[in-house]
Amino acid sequence: MLEIGCGRDGGIAPALAHAGHDVLAIDPEAPDGPLYQRIKLEELDDPGPFDAVVASRVLHHVQPLGPALDKLARLAPLLLLDEFAWNHMDEPTTGWYESQHRLLVAAGLPPKGPPDLAEWRSNHAGLHPYETLRTEIDARYDERHFEWRPYFYRWLEGPATESLEAGLIAAGAIRPIGFRYAGVRRETERSPAEAR
């Protein structure tokens, strides 16, 4: 398996390796170790093939997105994503998040997420919106699984935040901005010469 964007903490590569998978995890800030390479996707010269590509909260950053997805599709037939639709943060969702952030700060538990989402958006103007991600992914993969999920609990890290966020989403009070996706590479029609 190939994990892209494993980050400094090493992502899920150790869990995949523990489960018996051969794993390569890449990130410019990857940790030391036999599972990791400190490179960007465009620098990866391993031709694969891999059974699957796993990406957690990284594709919205990747530029240019189309060629990167073309490369991923060549490397593995299965794409597994844990992503977020940052542009789906509407006013009620933003208001809830920022109020939770203030409460945690007041309780002496400052979360890792930003306190002001408008400022966060202005500092991350180049990120791909959800619709762009899906258009580019759907051009290369056939969806096998999709689900909207809570996301802000990762930034808030407060007690019961994930269940609270899930409950508010279920009640329609806030929007889900996290999503999980699994897709299978679309097979292009091969010429008779390639079919040999």
Side-chain angles (χ1 to χ4, degrees), residues 8-21:
R8 290 185 196 112
D9 65 356
I12 63 168
L16 291 171
H18 183 74
H21 298 284

Side-chain angles (χ1 to χ4, degrees), residues 97 101 105 110-117 120 152 154-157:
Y97 166 83
H101 195 286
V105 169
K112 69 179 180 182
D116 183 321
L117 291 179
W120 181 89
F152 282 130
R154 301 169 194 258
W155 284 359
L156 292 169
E157 301 179 311

Side-chain angles (χ1 to χ4, degrees), residues 13 36-38 41 47 50 52 76-77 94 105 110 119 128 130 151 162 188 194-195:
Y36 302 105
Q37 288 186 26
R38 284 195 187 110
L41 176 59
F50 297 92
T94 299
V105 169
E119 182 180 330
H128 302 298
Y130 168 75
Y151 180 82
E162 183 178 6
T188 56
E194 293 174 316

Side-chain angles (χ1 to χ4, degrees), residues 163-185:
S163 59
L164 174 61
E165 186 177 353
L168 290 169
I169 289 167
I174 63 173
R175 293 184 75 177
I177 64 164
F179 67 91
R180 289 193 178 151
Y181 170 94
V184 176
R185 176 180 60 209

Side-chain angles (χ1 to χ4, degrees), residues 108-157:
L109 302 166
K112 69 179 180 182
D116 183 321
L117 291 179
E119 182 180 330
W120 181 89
R121 279 182 185 231
S122 68
N123 292 337
H124 295 83
L127 300 181
H128 302 298
Y130 168 75
E131 293 73 17
T132 299
L133 276 176
R134 281 309 303 261
T135 298
E136 294 291 342
I137 291 166
D138 292 344
R140 296 159 178 86
Y141 296 89
D142 290 320
E143 179 186 310
R144 292 294 184 261
H145 175 80
F146 181 87
E147 64 176 315
W148 286 108
R149 298 187 40 82
Y151 180 82
F152 282 130
Y153 73 92
R154 301 169 194 258
W155 284 359
L156 292 169
E157 301 179 311

Side-chain angles (χ1 to χ4, degrees), residues 5 54 61 83 109 121 125 161 186:
V54 178
H61 289 286
E83 262 292 353
L109 302 166
R121 279 182 185 231
T161 302
R186 288 190 173 170

